[in-house]
Amino acid sequence: MPEPSHEQIASGLQNRPPIALVPGPRIDAEPHSSLPLRPSAVWDLPGGSARVYLGEGNKALVRPVIVADGFGTGPSELVSAWETMEFGDYPLISELRRRGRDVVLLGFRERGAPIPDNSTTAQAAILRTAAEQQGRTPLAVGGFGTGGLVTRHALASMESRDVDHRTGLYFSYDSPHRGAWIPLALQAFAHYIKDLDSRFSDQINSPAARQLLWRHIGEWDGAPERSAERTAFLAEMRAIGEWPRRPRLIGVANGAADGIGTDVRAGELALEGRGSSIAGTRLYTQSPGDGELAASLRVVTERTHEVRTAGLPSIDGAPGGSLEGFGILADGLNALAAPLGLKTDVRIRSHCFVPSVSAVDIGDLDTDEELYTDISRLPYETSGLDEFRLASRNEGHALVTEELSTWLLDRLP
């Protein structure tokens, strides 16, 4: 059988769903048998939309909770967001509604848009909620992952312009307040195949990714650095006061507090190409030190290229909310037709995505000492949050658990 051509491989990749590093069911997962509840209303908003689910017994918005969608590519899939919140380890939407809370599920036309752009959508949702609410119960406003950054920016921006947001509680659910992490090996691979299919690279290079990632590369052979977009975003947050000041600020993290990481070790082979078109590709977990091999890359080409890094911590195994980044890539490639020669073996599916210290805004990501610190020994004042809760063990990013959800529910206004 002849080797597949560049054009055949490109067509095979482009005719499949894009490889996208987002939490959720695996590519081969069966859809949930229960359909989402029909919303009481659907709002068209500038740059997005919202689905409104009234609390049990409510005839109008009475005790609203606005929940913003997180990082991804393309428009928010609010049905998928519903499934994440309802059909995971804990039925959060049902419990919110049972307690008389009205859920406003906020999505964006482009999840990869700049965070301040989606903040404009969040501000519109806040103002509409306040306008339609009956009674004066303060709003609860927050989001999952990047949605927590979007709503944090929205509330702080409104306060900086003296706009009344009527919000009594801000919450974040595993949000990367001090940055998120996608392994350099995965970023490099995304850019390496962009002439075959640019969608993976487009996600890594989206404005939102550039703003939230602690270290970023724009090309496969680029040097990892804080992007100019992230620098500008952090400066904008400082300009509007960093945090809203009127509501109480709380957050939860899917990572543990004790400073103990996962079983992912630095410098381990995570993914290896087996098919003829990808043989020679090896992606490794991040190692500290100088000249560390992060990836060997070969797709279609005869030559194999190396990606090496220096001065980065052992972040892939750090305590925090994890993402199946290596697994998502392997699943996407293995779903392609065998003759294309892109079969891979994945040995390590997950990596740290939102370190615990980032999710509760209590430490930076620059060193192993900071990443693996025992948060329980640190004073609360180190964080921008008034109160926070970490998971009892490291788990998947944005996983809805009873442990974290009930803690959050008990603090709603």
Side-chain angles (χ1 to χ4, degrees), residues 25 87 130 143 179 206 230 286 346-347 350 366:
F87 300 134
S206 68
R230 178 162 178 78
Q286 185 60 51
V346 60
R347 304 185 184 186
S350 300
D366 300 279

Side-chain angles (χ1 to χ4, degrees), residues 178 360-364 377-385 388:
R178 300 209 187 184
V360 297
D361 188 51
I362 207 164
D364 292 321
R377 296 178 178 273
L378 300 178
Y380 264 89
E381 294 75 18
T382 311
S383 171
L385 297 165
F388 54 77

Side-chain angles (χ1 to χ4, degrees), residues 114-149:
I115 292 171
D117 287 8
N118 284 337
S119 166
T120 301
T121 305
Q123 293 174 52
I126 292 167
L127 292 174
R128 180 156 181 179
T129 300
E132 296 197 10
Q133 180 189 17
Q134 293 183 1
R136 297 292 297 179
T137 299
L139 309 185
V141 177
F144 283 75
T146 308
L149 296 184

Side-chain angles (χ1 to χ4, degrees), residues 77-98:
E77 300 174 359
L78 292 183
V79 170
S80 176
W82 168 281
E83 291 182 350
T84 297
M85 294 177 63
E86 185 67 9
F87 300 134
D89 284 7
Y90 184 77
L92 180 56
I93 292 180
S94 288
E95 186 59 24
L96 281 163
R97 296 184 62 248
R98 189 188 69 78

